[in-house]
Amino acid sequence: MDVSHEFEDDGIETYVYDIVVPSLERTVGRCEYRVESGQDLRYYGNIGYVIYVPYRGHHFAYKACLALIALMKGKIKGLQEIVITCNPENIASKKTIQKLGCDYIETVDIDPRHELFRMGDVQKEVYVLNLSDNT
């Protein structure tokens, strides 16, 4: 369910969706696609997601990412790669990212002046999904 309208426009084109599981009649999380560039692309990536605690461990993030990627291929002409990042200690996200077929690129240190650093993040692992490999 597209909930992009609920968020303030910070100048970055962003598509935000609730992750709804009809069989549970519940919203189990949220995913988003950000048309990022520059340093923030390496920190935030294009795709972000959160699965609410009671619903973790059921591959909902993976399924939501697949649906989001398919949707973005239709919305963004010429989309050839997607960057996804995670904190190095986030094993669940790493598994999701690897299951999507992303390639590990690098681990980057967060600039101490960046908002993510102020929120406690010090590094991000950067992965890329080459869409020409997954058509």
Side-chain angles (χ1 to χ4, degrees), residues 31 47-49 60-70 84 96 100:
C31 63
I47 291 180
Y49 49 83
F60 293 137
Y62 171 73
K63 294 171 189 171
C65 284
L66 288 178
L68 185 59
I69 290 164
I84 305 177
T96 296
L100 288 167

Side-chain angles (χ1 to χ4, degrees), residues 69-129:
I69 290 164
L71 187 63
M72 291 303 107
K73 282 179 169 181
K75 283 186 177 282
I76 302 172
K77 301 301 177 214
L79 185 62
Q80 295 185 17
E81 70 176 27
I82 293 175
V83 175
I84 305 177
T85 68
C86 69
N87 291 352
E89 67 277 3
N90 190 335
I91 303 303
S93 277
K94 281 188 200 187
K95 288 180 180 180
T96 296
I97 292 166
Q98 291 165 348
K99 189 172 182 176
L100 288 167
C102 297
D103 295 316
Y104 171 79
I105 302 301
E106 65 181 334
T107 299
V108 296
D109 294 328
I110 305 292
D111 184 320
R113 297 168 294 184
H114 196 274
E115 66 184 352
L116 286 176
F117 191 89
R118 291 191 299 273
M119 294 186 311
D121 290 349
V122 295
Q123 288 186 318
K124 291 289 182 179
E125 290 185 359
V126 181
Y127 296 82
V128 172
L129 179 63

Side-chain angles (χ1 to χ4, degrees), residues 2 4 10 12-17 30-37 41 44-49 64-65 67-73 75-84 129 131:
D2 187 348
S4 301
D10 62 359
I12 303 297
E13 186 176 2
T14 304
Y15 303 91
V16 184
Y17 298 90
R30 187 163 276 179
C31 63
E32 65 182 17
Y33 186 93
R34 296 175 296 272
V35 184
E36 286 283 4
S37 63
L41 179 60
Y44 293 111
N46 295 121
I47 291 180
Y49 49 83
C65 284
L68 185 59
I69 290 164
L71 187 63
M72 291 303 107
K73 282 179 169 181
K75 283 186 177 282
I76 302 172
K77 301 301 177 214
L79 185 62
Q80 295 185 17
E81 70 176 27
I82 293 175
V83 175
I84 305 177
L129 179 63
L131 297 178

